[in-house]
Amino acid sequence: MAEFMTETEQSSPVVPHPGTTGERRGRAGGSDAGPYDGQEAAALLERTRTLVDPELRAALESLPGSLRRIALYHFGWQHADGTPARDNAGKAIRPALVLAAAAALGGPTAQAAAVRAAVAIELVHNFTLLHDDVMDRDTSRRHRPTVWSVFGDADAILAGDALQALALRLLAEDPHPASAPAAARLADCVVELCAGQHADTDMERRAPDEVTLDEVLAMSEAKTGALLGCACALGALYAGAGDEDVAALDGFGRQAGLAFQLIDDVIGIWGDPRHTGKPAGADLASRKKSLPVVAALSSGAPAAAELAALYAEPYVSGDAEGVVRTALAVERAGGRDWAQTEAADRMARAVQELSRAVPAPEAADGLLALAEFVTRRTG
């Protein structure tokens, strides 16, 4: 969304991290290579898709006819007419966290045992995406029309419900001793996700000056941090970790999840549609009270009043100039700078949590690479 930026603002929303990939490799006695390039995370994500996709696809194929077709369309494996497709099934960040956490605490054997848990996390994540798209009326995801816009609201909601049920069935049928506590933890996470979504929809009905930054941070932890924390905790459970280490991994995922959400909100305003797959400024057009917006509104800066006035008016379809003006007001009121600084702080907290359970830098590499990946992306 280059038209939202000045010539000096064309950089991607990169977060300065404590302990970048190059730095932690140096401490571990490996390469002192420089800037993070995402190759380590990309390899982890590719391996995750290789491990997870066969069991994920088998779970989806177990659904009855029409639900199966809708789910396979959502994952990019079928076109709307039921013919095969090879579209983007998503980055697999959450299942990668499950496997990386299991490997960090229990090695390759624990990682192999945790594949079903990784699939369960991916199913729950996609259940939330299907429902979110209906509630937010988003018409595009992963560069193709959303399920509700193709099949209708009812089918999208029911397909999401079916994915959640599949996730819990996978864990219920898993003979691994960690499956029962993992299922209970995942169920608790779903309740927290729903509470976070409820808080989000409630905030959307309130005036901009009635929503506090603390409220939005709490909502974001529930909506985004909870599932990333749960993913890491499930990996720890499958590695046979004790309660303290499971809690530390959950804390790592939650803090990294908040950093993820902060950068996602930055992308929702200033991201390039070619990368995001969504229209430019979609969050502003929908008057979403994202973290940068609420930070800007509560900043006390002169531009905050302008932003409040803009948000008080309903968006007029096709008003590109209005979206540009709103984005500039958020930026002038400090919303963008605050979000990027806060994301860096949350990553620092995440690293502290991780070091409690995984003190050896080389064992933590996979988890840190994934956390860096999600907070250094542009779409």
Side-chain angles (χ1 to χ4, degrees), residues 196 199-200 202-203 206-222 258 289 291 294:
D200 192 16
D202 177 66
M203 287 177 195
R206 291 155 58 186
D209 60 355
E210 294 176 352
V211 176
T212 69
L213 193 53
D214 285 345
E215 283 183 294
V216 185
L217 282 166
M219 177 271 294
S220 296
E221 180 177 348
L258 271 173
K289 297 180 183 70
L291 283 158
V294 176

Side-chain angles (χ1 to χ4, degrees), residues 288-367:
K288 185 175 178 63
K289 297 180 183 70
S290 63
L291 283 158
V293 168
V294 176
L297 287 168
S298 59
S299 67
E306 177 191 357
L307 177 61
L310 289 166
Y311 252 56
E313 297 294 327
Y315 171 69
V316 177
S317 180
D319 182 13
E321 289 186 7
V323 172
V324 172
R325 193 162 57 251
T326 306
L328 290 173
V330 175
E331 187 148 10
R332 287 198 302 270
R336 186 177 187 179
D337 286 344
W338 174 88
Q340 291 184 296
T341 300
E342 183 71 12
D345 178 66
R346 295 294 176 168
M347 270 303 303
R349 298 187 199 185
V351 170
Q352 289 176 344
E353 291 284 353
L354 183 58
S355 67
R356 290 170 47 204
V358 191
E362 63 275 13
D365 265 3
L367 287 166

Side-chain angles (χ1 to χ4, degrees), residues 73-74 80 87 133 138-151 277:
Y73 170 83
H74 170 72
D87 287 328
D133 286 343
D138 285 336
T139 57
S140 177
R141 181 173 293 282
R142 298 169 184 160
H143 304 278
R144 68 201 314 238
T146 49
V147 166
W148 75 265
S149 68
V150 175
F151 298 97

Side-chain angles (χ1 to χ4, degrees), residues 168-229:
L168 293 174
R169 187 180 76 186
L170 274 177
L171 292 177
E173 293 177 348
D174 190 352
H176 193 282
S179 63
R185 197 171 194 104
L186 186 58
D188 286 343
C189 179
V190 169
V191 173
E192 188 173 358
L193 291 170
C194 292
Q197 181 65 21
H198 180 266
D200 192 16
T201 55
D202 177 66
M203 287 177 195
E204 294 307 308
R205 293 191 289 265
R206 291 155 58 186
D209 60 355
E210 294 176 352
V211 176
T212 69
L213 193 53
D214 285 345
E215 283 183 294
V216 185
L217 282 166
M219 177 271 294
S220 296
E221 180 177 348
K223 279 190 63 175
T224 305
L227 190 56
L228 270 70

